[in-house]
Amino acid sequence: MKISVINGPNLNLLGQREPELYGRLSLARIEADLKDLADELGVEVGFFQSNSEGALVTAVQEADREAEGIILNAAAYTHTSVALLDAILACRVPVVEVHLTNPLAREDFRRRSFLAQACAGTISGFGAESYSLALLWFSRRKNEGSGA
Ligand code: DQA
C-alpha cells in the first residue's frame, strides 16, 4: 500500500516558522520520522510539498492515480480553496486532512475548512503526530481489509 503525504504553503518553513505554534521539527525531519513509521508498518510513503495551489491540485490528482490514500495538510488553502475541495471530491482514494495545530482553537477564519466535507476525517492539534495518526489509520484499515 502506498500513501501520499502532501503539504501546502509555508510548511517548507517548519522548524523556523512560528516554532511556538508549529514546533521545532523541519518538514524533512517530520517526513523522515514518518518514513520510519511507514517502514515499521510495511507501508510505502511518498512526499510532496508546494506553496502553489495549482501544484497541490495536480499532486492530489496524481496521488489518486498512484496511491491508495492521501494525507493532506493544505495549510492556509484549507480555509480558502474550492479547487482543492473539487480535487478531493474527484478522488477515488480516501483523503485524511491533517494539521499540526488545532485550527478550531485559533482565529475565526481558521475554523472553517473547505476540505473537511470531502475527507474521510480530520486529525488536528497533535503536532507532527497528526501525520503519524493518519498513517496508522490507513495501515489499520488495510490490515482489517475494511472500507471504513
Ligand atoms: C496548519 C493550520 C493552518 O491554519 C495554517 O494556515 C497552516 C498550518 C497546521 O498544520 O496547523 O499553515 O495547516
Side-chain angles (χ1 to χ4, degrees):
M1 179 173 68
K2 179 171 176 186
I3 301 298
S4 282
V5 182
I6 299 175
N7 279 291
N10 300 304
L11 295 172
N12 55 314
L13 298 179
L14 285 177
Q16 324 159 25
R17 173 195 182 201
E18 298 181 271
E20 64 290 353
L21 270 182
Y22 296 114
R24 297 194 181 277
L25 298 181
S26 66
L27 184 58
R29 176 62 198 277
I30 290 172
E31 290 176 348
D33 289 349
L34 213 53
K35 170 83 173 72
D36 287 346
L37 176 62
D39 288 348
E40 275 172 41
L41 296 170
V43 174
E44 197 187 330
V45 273
F47 299 105
F48 180 81
Q49 187 276 331
S50 178
N51 294 324
S52 304
E53 188 175 11
L56 293 165
V57 168
T58 301
V60 168
Q61 292 177 1
E62 280 176 11
D64 188 45
R65 287 195 295 273
E66 292 163 10
E68 287 163 73
I70 299 171
I71 297 173
L72 175 63
N73 185 350
Y77 293 135
T78 305
H79 317 297
T80 62
S81 180
V82 176
L84 272 172
L85 167 63
D86 286 346
I88 296 168
L89 285 170
C91 277
R92 150 196 80 85
V93 303
V95 179
V96 176
E97 176 182 344
V98 301
H99 299 283
L100 295 145
T101 63
N102 176 4
L104 296 177
R106 299 180 61 192
E107 303 96 321
D108 276 351
F109 64 85
R110 293 186 206 275
R111 291 194 184 145
R112 179 175 59 169
S113 167
F114 276 65
L115 314 183
Q117 63 188 284
C119 292
T122 301
I123 302 172
S124 300
F126 300 103
E129 296 297 333
S130 293
Y131 296 88
S132 311
L133 292 167
L135 193 63
L136 279 169
W137 179 73
F138 276 113
S139 165
R140 290 197 175 152
R141 186 172 179 275
K142 178 195 75 169
N143 292 335
E144 285 161 14
S146 91

